[in-house]
Amino acid sequence: MNINDIRSQFPILGEQVHGRPLVYLDNAATTQKPQRVIDALTDYYSHLNANIHRGAHHLAAVATERYEAVRLQVMKFIGALSPDEIVFTRGTTESINLVAASFAKAYFDGDDEVIVSGMEHHSNIVPWQLAGATLRPIPFTDEGVLDLEAYERLFTDKTKLVSVCHVSNTLGTVNPVQRIVEIAHAHGVPVLVDGAQAVSHLQVDVRALDCDFYCFSGHKMYAPMGVGVVYGRDRLLKALPPYQGGGEMIEEVTFQRTTYNRLPFKFEAGTPSVGDVLGLGRAIDFMQEVGVDNIAAHEADLLRYATERLSSLPGIRIYGTAPDKAAVLSFLVGEAHPYDVGTLVDQLGVAVRTGHHCTQPVMDRYGIPGTVRASFAVYNTRAEVDAFFAALERVLPMLQ
Ligand code: 7TS
């Protein structure tokens, strides 16, 4: 893996912030985009823009072909069996809302429990509440490891679904999804995996995981904002009612009765974000060219190095010290408020995120208002980690 070659593909990494070279360590919020992804958007709007699936004309036909080719690419990338199992959405949030709304309509009976982990992003909490479920959170240890014995005890005859994140966006924990699925299936309960923080860091194989739904966002894996995916097991997707009504999702409409299109179109009402989907295809090309295992190894090295350096700071508290972690480092130092740390290191060109990271229950678990979070991507370097610590060492004395 040639890091200089990789960095040269990301034009934004050449930007200056407050007169200093940008050090972008907010990758869990969104990754930057390689030139080929940016080009996919301009190429699409310059040469190909057309509404797909409907037109008889050339542009519509080619745009449709390219859009459907990305569906196949996504299918292979995550190990799905059929393109019918890949539904394009706007992102993880919409993906989970889609499953929650449709699943509730099909299977909820007014007394329904959904098991989630205690470390979920709000977008894997609120959709279930909107659907009327009572949530049963799996507790986790101080290190950020899920308690699987406690998990087993959460199943009741009201449990309709288990919905857990693959990787925590706040603690970095890689959850033992395969085992979580095994246990749920032994109870006859399907599992949704929120893969928003996993797809860009580790090789995802939905068949090896044996999960029933897998949701993720393009923009966290080097693709544009505005595109996401629901993988759903063919049999389950077939049984679910549509999420939204409109164009494309229908077979026949009359004022009396409507029949629905086949999978996956049943879940893709309206005009999709075609250019963004094409960008997602180029982002997958990028990741496969570099190699997902190489990306994981590089990020693991950065995480190890940054954790080591951070541990040497006096008054440091790291949140999330699970043995199996990916690319995320959340911490507090002494009495310094996370927001102040973030604002001051920004003045030195370093972008980190501060706050509750849309995981308020995690903050409640530790009794803290928020953390400072550095999160890594394939283009980050040890030199950037050094720049981050140089910035921290400058600002922390001002905050004690
Ligand atoms: N699930 C997880 C685990 C996430 O980390 C996020 C976004 C989402 C779902 C929602 O994804 P979206 O693309 O639909 O917004 N996480 C973050 C974050 O950690 N900082 O900003 C967004």
Side-chain angles (χ1 to χ4, degrees):
M1 203 183 96
N2 181 334
I3 189 77
N4 291 329
D5 174 55
I6 288 170
R7 287 182 67 82
S8 71
Q9 297 183 48
F10 289 80
I12 208 167
L13 298 179
E15 289 294 302
Q16 302 245 317
V17 170
H18 307 302
R20 306 204 176 227
L22 167 67
V23 174
Y24 185 78
L25 300 178
D26 192 17
N27 295 287
T30 195
T31 57
Q32 300 301 345
K33 319 303 173 200
Q35 189 64 53
R36 75 180 83 182
V37 168
I38 301 166
D39 289 347
L41 294 178
T42 46
D43 285 352
Y44 172 71
Y45 288 111
S46 306
H47 303 296
L48 204 56
N49 180 50
N51 209 329
I52 54 167
H53 293 138
R54 299 166 213 187
H57 60 82
H58 174 76
L59 290 185
V62 179
T64 303
E65 198 178 293
R66 302 252 178 103
Y67 178 88
E68 290 304 324
V70 176
R71 198 188 303 276
L72 286 171
Q73 219 185 337
V74 171
M75 174 194 93
K76 289 182 193 139
F77 186 61
I78 62 167
L81 278 177
S82 146
D84 293 0
E85 299 182 319
I86 306 297
V87 175
F88 288 122
T89 63
R90 283 187 301 123
T92 310
T93 300
E94 190 177 51
S95 296
I96 299 176
N97 275 278
L98 182 159
V99 178
S102 297
F103 192 90
K105 210 183 247 177
Y107 299 113
F108 281 13
D109 55 18
D111 198 4
D112 310 286
E113 294 179 0
V114 171
I115 297 176
V116 293
S117 85
M119 57 179 84
E120 294 309 317
H121 188 279
H122 297 164
S123 64
N124 195 22
I125 297 174
V126 187
W128 304 109
Q129 292 171 331
L130 288 174
T134 300
L135 292 177
R136 307 267 282 161
I138 310 167
F140 57 88
T141 64
D142 287 346
E143 291 72 30
V145 176
L146 290 180
D147 178 346
L148 291 192
E149 284 175 16
Y151 164 56
E152 292 224 48
R153 291 194 294 271
L154 292 178
F155 286 88
T156 70
D157 54 4
K158 299 173 190 166
T159 309
K160 300 295 194 308
L161 194 89
V162 172
S163 192
V164 293
C165 59
H166 198 167
V167 174
S168 157
N169 68 315
T170 300
L171 304 174
T173 311
V174 180
N175 286 318
V177 167
Q178 212 164 347
R179 183 74 194 119
I180 288 171
V181 171
E182 266 172 27
I183 293 169
H185 285 178
H187 288 85
V189 173
V191 180
L192 180 150
V193 180
D194 171 356
Q197 296 295 341
V199 272
S200 67
H201 305 297
L202 43 101
Q203 193 80 57
V204 170
D205 182 336
V206 290
R207 270 184 296 159
L209 294 175
D210 201 28
C211 59
D212 301 284
F213 302 100
Y214 196 97
C215 302
F216 58 97
S217 298
H219 73 94
K220 293 183 197 286
M221 51 176 290
Y222 311 104
M225 292 180 175
V227 55
V229 171
V230 179
Y231 155 81
R233 212 187 274 281
D234 183 273
R235 171 175 56 77
L236 281 167
L237 283 184
K238 274 198 183 111
L240 293 187
Y243 171 53
Q244 294 181 323
E248 192 55 34
M249 52 74 72
I250 55 89
E251 187 184 59
E252 207 175 324
V253 178
T254 68
F255 286 114
Q256 287 71 41
R257 184 168 170 271
T258 292
T259 52
Y260 306 126
N261 203 342
R262 64 178 186 83
L263 289 179
F265 311 110
K266 181 173 86 174
F267 291 108
E268 290 183 8
T271 302
S273 200
V274 180
D276 298 324
V277 168
L278 302 195
L280 175 62
R282 299 298 76 75
I284 292 173
D285 289 343
F286 165 77
M287 285 187 63
Q288 289 183 321
E289 241 172 70
V290 179
V292 178
D293 290 342
N294 292 329
I295 295 173
H298 176 69
E299 292 173 349
D301 175 70
L302 290 175
L303 182 64
R304 228 178 359 254
Y305 180 61
T307 305
E308 232 171 72
R309 292 220 49 184
L310 198 59
S311 305
S312 68
L313 290 178
I316 193 80
R317 299 183 309 283
I318 296 178
Y319 295 91
T321 51
D324 198 2
K325 268 191 76 172
V328 168
L329 192 49
S330 269
F331 63 94
L332 289 173
V333 200
E335 294 307 306
H337 194 280
Y339 181 76
D340 294 337
V341 177
T343 313
L344 287 172
V345 299
D346 173 65
Q347 291 301 311
L348 301 169
V350 180
V352 291
R353 185 142 296 236
T354 63
H356 55 62
H357 317 299
C358 298
T359 55
Q360 284 179 356
V362 175
M363 301 302 132
D364 294 344
R365 160 74 176 71
Y366 290 108
I368 53 175
T371 70
V372 182
R373 182 187 70 183
S375 52
F376 306 105
V378 64
Y379 41 68
N380 290 127
T381 62
R382 281 188 172 219
E384 288 183 310
V385 174
D386 291 337
F388 174 41
F389 282 97
L392 269 183
E393 278 162 0
R394 260 184 73 178
V395 308
L396 286 177
M398 300 179 209
L399 296 172
Q400 302 299 331

